[in-house]
Amino acid sequence: MGDSPDSAAITVEGLWKIFGSRAQKVLDSEDRHLEPAALREKTGCTAAVRNVSFAVRPGEVFVVMGLSGSGKSTLVRCLTRLIEPTAGEIRIGGEDIGRASPARLREIRRHQVSMVFQHFGLLPHRKVIDNVAYGLEIQGTPKAARHARAAEILSLVGLDGYADAYPDQLSGGMQQRVGLARALAVDPQVMLFDEPFSALDPLIRRDMQAEVIRLHREVGKTMVFITHDLSEALKLGERIAIMRAGSIVQLGTAEELVGAPADDYVADFVRDVPRSHVLTLRWISRAPEPGEPLDGPEIAAGTVIKDAIAVASASSRPIKVVDDGELVGVVDRVDLLTFLSGQDIAVKAGA
Amino acid sequence: MSTTTAVGTPSRLGLPKWAAPAGVAVVFVAAYLVFRGTGTLPHDKEAPQFLAVTDLREWIDDHRNDNPLFLYFLNYIRLFVGALYDLFQTVLHALGWPGITGVMGALAWLAGGWRIGLLAVAGVSAFGFLGLWQHSVDTLALVAVAVLLSLAIGIPIGVWAGLSGRVRRAVTPVLDVMQIMPTFAYLAPLALFFHIGAPAGAIATMIYSIPPAIRITALAISGVSPTAVEASSSLGATRWQTLFKVYLPLARSTMALAINQTIMMALSMVVIANLISAPGLGEEIIRGLSRAQVGIMLPAGVAIVIMAVMLDRMMMAIARRGPHTKPSKIDLVGAGVLGAGGLVLIPVLPGEWPESWTVNVVAEVNDAVLWAETTWYPVTTFIKDFTTYALLNPLEGLLTSAPWWLVALAVLAVAWRVSGVRPALIALGCLLAIALLGTWEHAMQTMTTVAVAVLATLVIGLLLGVAAARSPRFSAVQRPLLDAAQTMPAFVYLLPALALFETTRFTAIFASIIYAVPPVVRLVEDGIKAVPAEVVEAATSAGSTPGQLLWKVQLPMARRAILLAANQGIVMTLAMVVVGGLVGAGALGYDVVLGFSQRTDFGLGFVAGIATVLLGVMLDRITQGADRRPSPRKRMST
Ligand SMILES: Nc1ncnc2c1ncn2[C@@H]1O[C@H](COP(=O)(O)OP(=O)(O)OP(=O)(O)O)[C@@H](O)[C@H]1O
Ligand SMILES: [Mg+2]
């Protein structure tokens, strides 16, 4: 991963969560290696998160993806012990969450980590402004101060003028903006999103994704974002972890997942992604053949393939792919066409 | 049971399905014919266990002020409740009728707008108008104390049960038993521990009305959206913060229903509590019942109904209100003026309702009842005699002349068949305990009355329920009547029964029928309406006549609802039949009443109260399969 744990915003080491009365016993036995279905059959316990480790860099958007039931929600709730993990170590900002006392844990939840939920979790008996100010209220912030802060956040998420409405008077998208504002109001360092947009219709979902990208640019929080929508993951995530049956099967950039899926499950997941939108020239560049002209246009190796097409159509010379001014290979029109036609399944492994 | 199975599955021997039950029935008949008259347990009024309880009461009454349990614990509770009652009574009397009218009107206005406010003003005035001001205020104070205590105990327990599955599992069986306990059964033990009078009455009322406070609160709390709760803890709220800022506000409207139910239960009990000398409207009603004078009862009954309707409308208005609607300015001003007006008038107007503004209808009502009795004499006598000679007497003869072990075996067999092994064993245990207590014969008599009443209730309930399910217009007419019937305190139903049938065994049967029919109708109607429309459509398109549709599709598929209706009907009927002891139903109910009026029979009454509870649990377990056993529909689809 390349990060030393100290510089990371969140590190998770060997995290397990097993639901059921005999969780600890299962964890200590060999049963823990069983497939979830077999485990449930044998012991009645469900292993929702199995030996998961990863690190999230400060300011990064880290996406966790997986099918329904793969343990995403459980994983993200274990981070602040909304669900008590069965085993493993979690550090947020260097602090060991597992050892935090209940009071300390509340402090962390109040000031450092906040969460946005799939079904919003708004309080219907409170006005929008009081929903947004809820986190501050339970910290004991005086009313005037918390309302001022809430109003500020409301305009940040584009809900000016709705302060005195009640949640059920808003559309789903606007309700989730309130959820977002509530999480932002306490000014946390880390924000957790559990499928925040799954309950919204596609157009609104796109707006909200843009909103999150904008907010991330403006406020620069570390974000852990759960989704089961691949296009959402690709749009938002710097790195993506793919979960299956409680384990992370692959962790990497979108490019790595699409270019080099670790197994069939991941390959299946990314099959419908237009690869030319994700992969860069690095994946298809090749060593120049002897006698091939090297006077064509130069493009950086990190350029997405789709963007190289325009260049290739303007010039018939092979494109020179450069990294830091150094030539790493060439790509000509035939290469591009072969790739686009989908013939070229075997892209170069690794990056 | 077996006839309702849609597809008959022939047994292994190729016999029809009804062969086994029929065979068992034949064996029972044969056994009865052979052993009739042996092994009976005749009633003995002087049985040692009754005398022992009577002696215990004498002992307690002598040592109430020197035994530590009483001196340091029970007497304090009694004193505390008594002081609370005195406080309420003093305040209410200090308010006088102008004050009470103003304050109640204002509260009702705030709860549900000016219409409800007007209803409250009219309701409170009616207490005075009926000449029952004093009694009504006492009842109001008693109900207030009982409800307050019920809520003070019930809501915390309910919240706890709503939050913790373990607590809920511990509490539920206790509540189940409490809810099938007839009102009467609470009185004697309370008289034993808390003496008689207003405090004992308030405590009895409190205990009786606590189950809905706990149950519905638990339901409300466990129904709160888990995401809202999680969102709150994710922001670092403490458990108390989440409780007060999330759980309680979100559970508010359901909890208003809990309070409403608690009040309604309290209003039923507060009248009966007069048997242990609790003051209030119950005095008039019990006096009227014991003298069989409808004229005395009717105004008090009307006053109780008015009180129930008034409080019910207020609480329902609160329950129905949206999560964030607040009373408008006009409402606030109106209510304020009304309340302040009432308070200002306190020194001006007399606190007691003026005598000259009351109507006295005792004589007129008694005359009207007499007229009704004589005019309808042929009809009512025919009904009464027919049920008595055709149903009650033969069945009672059968149950009291059969050997006890045969009855026990029959109960075991039926309960096993309908509800399964465990309930059957519990039912058997209850029956054996009844025998050991020495109340066998009276229990059998009460059971006879219950059986006949339940039979009639089910027939009427099924007819009306089916009619309502098939005709929306009929349903629309019937619904408001059912709603009204279900807010009325139980013994109100004794009034028309008494007016028509005087004091006989049949009076209690009639009262329990009109008491238990509404919920049965409702369950049947809902059960039939819940049959999926596609199924009805499919049957109709296959050419079923409406009758075939009913018998072959709707009734079998509504089987669960109908069994549940039977279960409810039985529990309610038993409660009423026991209260019917006041108006000539005899048996256990009469024993209980006797226990209160005659000191020497206290033991008999006490034990009879226990026997009614056992009988209730037994009948409930026998029919409880309604909830548990899969319906044929389920069995077929699995
Ligand atoms: N409280 C619980 N008790 C027992 N099992 C649970 C509990 N919560 C979750 N599980 C089980 O853990 C597994 C993972 O659930 P989780 O909710 O984390 O999945 P998910 O990936 O978030 O799915 P979805 O996309 O549907 O939200 C599932 O098999 C689920 O049944
Ligand atoms: Mg989930």
Side-chain angles (χ1 to χ4, degrees):
Chain A
M1 251 149 267
D3 289 287
S4 76
D6 293 332
S7 70
I10 305 173
T11 51
V12 172
E13 260 317 307
L15 184 70
W16 285 83
K17 174 64 200 181
I18 298 172
F19 287 110
S21 47
R22 285 180 293 163
Q24 199 57 48
K25 211 182 276 171
V26 171
L27 188 68
D28 296 338
S29 72
E30 283 304 300
D31 288 343
R32 67 176 192 270
H33 299 302
L34 289 174
E35 276 294 298
L39 181 68
R40 192 162 33 237
E41 184 78 6
K42 185 171 170 194
T43 63
C45 293
T46 309
V49 174
R50 302 161 70 198
N51 199 14
V52 163
S53 307
F54 60 87
V56 183
R57 295 188 282 259
E60 181 184 13
V61 179
F62 185 86
V63 172
V64 179
M65 267 194 70
L67 296 178
S68 187
S70 55
K72 310 179 295 291
S73 298
T74 310
L75 171 64
V76 77
R77 280 168 177 72
C78 283
L79 297 183
T80 55
R81 284 169 59 197
L82 284 174
I83 291 178
E84 201 60 50
T86 314
E89 190 188 75
I90 298 159
R91 288 179 177 278
I92 294 181
E95 180 170 358
D96 188 341
I97 299 295
R99 280 184 221 280
S101 66
R104 178 65 200 143
L105 195 58
R106 271 202 302 278
E107 283 305 300
I108 292 170
R109 290 179 188 167
R110 285 179 179 185
H111 300 288
Q112 293 181 13
V113 187
S114 64
M115 189 160 170
V116 181
F117 297 88
Q118 176 173 7
H119 297 293
F120 320 146
L122 301 181
L123 304 174
H125 61 288
R126 290 169 161 246
K127 291 178 180 165
V128 163
I129 187 125
D130 287 315
N131 265 289
V132 175
Y134 184 75
L136 298 169
E137 182 181 333
I138 55 181
Q139 296 172 16
T141 313
K143 187 162 181 176
R146 63 176 194 252
H147 274 191
R149 168 75 182 156
E152 199 178 298
I153 299 292
L154 275 177
S155 71
L156 183 66
V157 298
L159 280 179
D160 281 308
Y162 286 97
D164 288 331
Y166 284 92
D168 57 8
Q169 296 162 338
L170 304 183
S171 70
M174 287 155 90
Q175 290 188 24
Q176 192 57 297
R177 282 172 201 261
V178 178
L180 200 56
R182 178 177 61 189
L184 277 168
V186 296
D187 195 22
Q189 284 120 45
V190 177
M191 292 182 77
L192 309 176
F193 294 80
D194 186 12
E195 300 196 29
F197 309 140
S198 308
L200 305 179
D201 62 52
L203 282 180
I204 297 179
R205 192 182 308 173
R206 213 158 58 201
D207 280 356
M208 293 297 292
Q209 288 161 355
E211 188 79 30
V212 167
I213 292 171
R214 181 177 68 84
L215 283 172
H216 183 241
R217 256 203 318 270
E218 287 178 19
V219 297
K221 309 278 182 206
T222 307
M223 295 181 174
V224 176
F225 197 103
I226 309 288
T227 178
H228 61 230
D229 176 357
L230 183 66
S231 69
E232 189 167 272
L234 297 176
K235 209 182 283 180
L236 298 170
E238 288 158 43
R239 287 186 305 147
I240 301 171
I242 299 214
M243 283 187 82
R244 178 170 163 264
S247 314
I248 292 185
V249 287
Q250 191 172 5
L251 193 163
T253 60
E255 202 182 342
E256 287 161 357
L257 296 181
V258 174
D263 61 10
D264 290 349
Y265 178 79
V266 181
D268 222 24
F269 238 105
V270 298
R271 190 171 46 202
D272 294 330
V273 181
R275 299 196 306 159
S276 64
H277 292 218
V278 176
L279 295 187
T280 57
L281 289 177
R282 198 191 305 276
W283 291 88
I284 54 168
S285 70
R286 55 183 170 76
E289 277 164 27
E292 206 169 6
L294 288 177
D295 53 352
E298 262 186 23
I299 306 188
T303 313
V304 178
I305 292 172
K306 155 181 90 130
D307 297 338
I309 294 171
V311 181
S313 55
S315 156
S316 62
R317 323 294 289 175
I319 296 169
K320 291 195 292 181
V321 181
V322 293
D323 194 6
D324 278 342
E326 223 171 282
L327 186 72
V328 290
V330 294
V331 174
D332 63 14
R333 287 177 174 181
V334 178
D335 295 330
L336 282 174
L337 287 173
T338 317
F339 173 80
L340 288 177
S341 70
Q343 301 293 308
D344 178 31
I345 303 296
V347 283
K348 272 194 330 196
Chain B
M1 275 333 97
S2 55
T3 49
T4 56
T5 316
V7 179
T9 35
S11 73
R12 259 162 296 158
L13 298 171
L15 290 170
K17 268 202 82 179
W18 47 263
V24 174
V26 168
V27 172
F28 270 105
V29 171
Y32 171 70
L33 291 176
V34 173
F35 294 105
R36 174 168 51 181
T38 66
T40 57
L41 303 170
H43 187 69
D44 173 13
K45 212 167 162 293
E46 305 288 315
Q49 60 270 36
F50 302 155
L51 298 180
V53 176
T54 308
D55 290 346
L56 176 68
R57 192 224 179 148
E58 295 300 336
W59 184 86
I60 285 180
D61 278 352
D62 289 344
H63 294 80
R64 209 174 274 287
N65 295 320
D66 53 31
N67 181 291
L69 175 68
F70 285 89
L71 206 52
Y72 298 115
F73 183 58
L74 295 178
N75 287 1
Y76 275 109
I77 296 181
R78 183 156 61 96
L79 286 177
F80 170 71
V81 176
L84 208 56
Y85 171 73
D86 288 342
L87 177 73
F88 271 93
Q89 210 198 18
T90 316
V91 169
L92 287 177
H93 278 287
L95 284 173
W97 72 264
I100 296 181
T101 314
V103 170
M104 282 296 280
L107 289 178
W109 195 329
L110 287 181
W114 64 270
R115 281 166 220 269
I116 310 274
L118 197 66
L119 178 78
V121 169
V124 174
S125 309
F127 300 150
F129 195 62
L130 290 166
L132 292 166
W133 181 255
Q134 182 71 40
H135 285 309
S136 303
V137 170
D138 288 350
T139 296
L140 219 49
L142 204 58
V143 168
V145 171
V147 168
L148 220 64
L149 291 175
S150 267
L151 297 179
I153 300 172
I155 288 186
I157 297 182
V159 167
W160 198 14
L163 294 174
S164 146
R166 195 173 302 162
V167 176
R168 185 163 50 240
R169 280 189 295 278
V171 175
T172 308
V174 179
L175 295 182
D176 283 345
V177 172
M178 282 176 82
Q179 281 194 326
I180 52 177
M181 268 169 72
T183 42
F184 263 24
Y186 288 95
L187 298 178
L190 282 165
L192 205 57
F193 292 122
F194 296 105
H195 208 244
I196 53 174
I203 295 174
T205 308
M206 175 201 94
I207 297 179
Y208 182 70
S209 58
I210 219 170
I214 298 178
R215 211 186 273 270
I216 305 180
T217 303
L219 199 70
I221 292 291
S222 60
V224 166
S225 145
T227 350
V229 173
E230 201 173 33
S232 176
S233 15
S234 84
L235 285 164
T238 61
R239 291 167 62 104
W240 289 107
Q241 283 175 327
T242 304
L243 180 63
F244 283 103
K245 291 175 192 284
V246 180
Y247 277 113
L248 292 180
L250 290 190
R252 199 204 55 157
S253 64
T254 315
M255 277 168 64
L257 289 181
I259 298 175
N260 190 33
Q261 273 295 305
T262 306
I263 296 175
M264 294 303 126
M265 299 280 282
L267 281 173
S268 310
M269 186 64 174
V270 87
V271 169
I272 304 210
N274 177 252
L275 287 174
I276 52 172
S277 306
L281 292 167
E283 246 169 63
E284 298 290 291
I285 291 179
I286 302 289
R287 194 158 61 92
L289 281 177
S290 53
R291 298 197 197 157
Q293 286 210 18
V294 178
I296 301 179
M297 278 176 80
L298 186 71
V302 170
I304 278 278
V305 170
I306 289 174
M307 208 179 277
V309 169
M310 192 171 85
L311 295 172
D312 178 64
R313 290 304 122 88
M314 276 168 71
M315 291 316 296
M316 288 310 278
I318 294 178
R320 286 212 192 93
R321 219 157 50 182
H324 39 69
T325 39
K326 299 220 164 57
S328 71
K329 272 238 170 59
I330 306 175
D331 285 340
L332 282 177
V333 171
V337 168
L338 186 58
L343 293 179
V344 166
L345 285 176
I346 295 176
V348 184
L349 296 174
E352 282 280 325
W353 185 273
E355 189 77 38
S356 52
W357 294 3
T358 59
V359 286
N360 189 335
V361 289
V362 176
E364 287 83 347
V365 172
N366 280 344
D367 289 346
V369 168
L370 193 65
W371 175 84
E373 270 169 9
T374 39
T375 320
W376 291 330
Y377 185 78
V379 182
T380 53
T381 316
F382 172 75
I383 299 177
K384 192 160 67 184
D385 288 349
F386 176 78
T387 16
T388 307
Y389 294 114
L391 295 168
L392 282 173
N393 287 351
L395 188 59
E396 190 178 310
L398 177 74
L399 285 176
T400 47
S401 67
W404 64 268
W405 50 266
L406 192 64
V407 176
L409 276 179
V411 163
L412 185 69
V414 172
W416 197 319
R417 170 102 186 100
V418 177
S419 301
V421 185
R422 264 178 58 106
L425 290 178
I426 295 176
L428 182 68
C430 290
L431 192 64
L432 295 182
I434 287 174
L436 285 176
L437 285 175
T439 49
W440 179 267
E441 191 177 334
H442 284 188
M444 288 302 117
Q445 286 166 357
T446 297
M447 209 157 90
T448 306
T449 321
V450 171
V452 172
V454 165
L455 191 71
T457 303
L458 283 183
V459 170
I460 298 172
L462 271 173
L463 287 177
L464 292 180
V466 167
R470 305 181 86 184
S471 151
R473 195 175 310 162
F474 184 67
S475 171
V477 174
Q478 191 175 249
R479 274 272 153 166
L481 289 176
L482 296 183
D483 286 340
Q486 287 194 303
T487 42
M488 282 209 239
F491 60 83
V492 166
Y493 296 96
L494 286 175
L495 254 149
L498 194 62
L500 288 174
F501 297 100
E502 300 173 289
T503 49
T504 60
R505 245 188 319 176
F506 189 75
T507 316
I509 294 187
F510 184 79
S512 46
I513 292 172
I514 48 180
Y515 175 55
V517 157
V520 170
V521 172
R522 183 170 291 215
L523 283 169
V524 171
E525 181 186 345
D526 291 349
I528 293 181
K529 278 187 177 161
V531 174
E534 313 92 80
V535 175
V536 174
E537 214 165 29
T540 318
S541 71
S544 313
T545 63
Q548 284 173 327
L549 184 66
L550 183 67
W551 285 109
K552 294 190 186 298
V553 179
Q554 289 172 320
L555 286 182
M557 286 182 76
R559 176 178 174 274
R560 274 166 80 86
I562 292 170
L563 279 183
L564 190 63
N567 180 284
Q568 281 260 307
I570 288 178
V571 172
M572 292 180 71
T573 307
L574 175 69
M576 193 53 128
V577 163
V578 176
V579 177
L582 281 167
V583 290
L588 292 181
Y590 181 70
D591 293 343
V592 173
V593 178
L594 197 64
F596 295 119
S597 52
Q598 306 270 294
R599 270 193 92 87
T600 48
D601 284 326
F602 180 82
L604 172 64
F606 187 96
V607 174
I610 298 177
T612 55
V613 175
L614 291 168
L615 199 60
V617 174
M618 183 188 97
L619 291 172
D620 176 67
R621 289 304 126 123
I622 292 179
T623 44
Q624 169 185 73
D627 280 342
R628 320 271 148 87
R629 220 165 76 150
S631 70
R633 177 158 44 123
K634 269 212 181 135
R635 256 182 280 156
M636 269 151 51
S637 64
T638 47

